[in-house]
Amino acid sequence: MEVRIEAFMELPSIEECIKRAALEAIVDEMVRRKGSFVSELFHPGPWERFRECTRPKARVELSAGGLFIARGDEDYLNFAEAILSIGALIRGESRRAAKLAELTGMRLLAEPRDGGIRLSFAGFYGVVKLSKDRIVFSTDGSTLTVPIGSFLEAEGHFLNSLAFDLEELFEACSRHGLGRAFLENTGPIRLLLKVIGYENGLGRWGE
């Protein structure tokens, strides 16, 4: 069975986004009620807005045998984290990833569910489990099984492109003084890459 894992990242226009975010932050500061939970929730501070400028969008696809499991326009980092979460599940590293995330105060996309994980990304809302040599993707309306070997082959190609894309994103963020924002946004991805043993594929941003 042919498995496809693809994400065509659109590098954000960080400079324009920063200008827009700065203006919105100024307006928010004028209307924010200090100490109000609702105000704080709907009026994020400047740093939170700048961080969003470093999250690129992408046209993504996860399919098997011509059937789409996830597809559409998605946050690139969310899609990458979802794929890496499935990789961690296959390797029996989901529990370790969750524990490391808890220790570091990091929130992961994958939620443990009945021996598997629950994921929500790019139109997929369901549970991913393992059954012998297959991955089972289950939603409310359907179930699709995918050979683990086929997924891992596609994952290998995706990891190569992921390393390149993240290096490009890191350089763009650094040029605008947002290297810290990049590291914060990619924390879950970097954790999962190390958990599945792919740290040697990281660029200098992963050191």
Side-chain angles (χ1 to χ4, degrees):
M1 176 182 285
E2 181 185 8
V3 175
R4 297 172 65 91
I5 303 174
E6 296 181 338
F8 300 100
M9 184 182 76
E10 298 178 7
L11 200 62
S13 177
I14 296 178
E15 184 174 354
E16 290 301 315
C17 183
I18 289 175
K19 292 178 181 178
R20 185 169 60 252
L23 179 59
E24 291 173 349
I26 291 172
V27 174
D28 275 351
E29 285 300 313
M30 296 173 62
V31 300
R32 184 198 302 267
R33 290 175 54 196
K34 298 296 183 182
S36 168
F37 170 75
V38 175
S39 182
E40 295 292 332
L41 182 64
F42 290 100
H43 299 283
W47 180 248
E48 286 74 16
R49 292 186 181 278
F50 293 154
R51 279 182 57 185
E52 288 303 307
C53 290
T54 66
R55 299 193 68 94
K57 299 296 183 182
R59 186 70 180 173
V60 304
E61 175 185 326
L62 169 59
S63 63
L67 300 175
F68 294 111
I69 299 170
R71 184 191 189 194
D73 295 319
E74 175 66 294
D75 180 291
Y76 179 83
L77 301 180
N78 278 354
F79 180 76
E81 184 182 344
I83 297 301
L84 292 171
S85 297
I86 298 170
L89 177 67
I90 292 172
R91 295 169 176 84
E93 296 287 2
S94 288
R95 288 179 180 271
R96 186 161 77 96
K99 185 63 177 178
L100 289 172
E102 181 181 354
L103 290 173
T104 57
M106 190 179 298
R107 184 174 180 179
L108 296 180
L109 189 65
E111 301 177 6
R113 283 291 187 281
D114 304 323
I117 54 175
R118 177 173 290 280
L119 286 172
S120 174
F121 70 104
F124 175 84
Y125 308 96
V127 175
V128 184
K129 293 184 177 181
L130 301 182
S131 178
K132 296 183 180 179
D133 61 345
R134 291 181 173 270
I135 313 169
V136 182
F137 295 87
S138 301
T139 64
D140 291 337
S142 63
T143 297
L144 180 63
T145 60
V146 177
I148 288 177
S150 299
F151 181 90
L152 290 176
E153 182 179 353
E155 180 200 57
H157 296 302
F158 175 72
L159 289 176
N160 289 334
S161 65
L162 175 64
F164 176 82
D165 287 344
L166 291 181
E167 180 75 17
E168 185 179 18
L169 180 60
F170 172 74
E171 291 176 355
C173 292
S174 296
R175 285 196 299 270
H176 294 88
L178 292 177
R180 174 187 157 201
F182 170 89
L183 293 174
E184 290 182 4
N185 284 338
T186 59
I189 290 177
R190 291 183 291 113
L191 183 150
L192 289 165
L193 283 169
K194 292 183 179 182
V195 162
I196 69 173
Y198 193 72
E199 59 246 81
N200 289 336
L202 301 178
R204 59 189 176 89
W205 48 265
E207 296 175 357

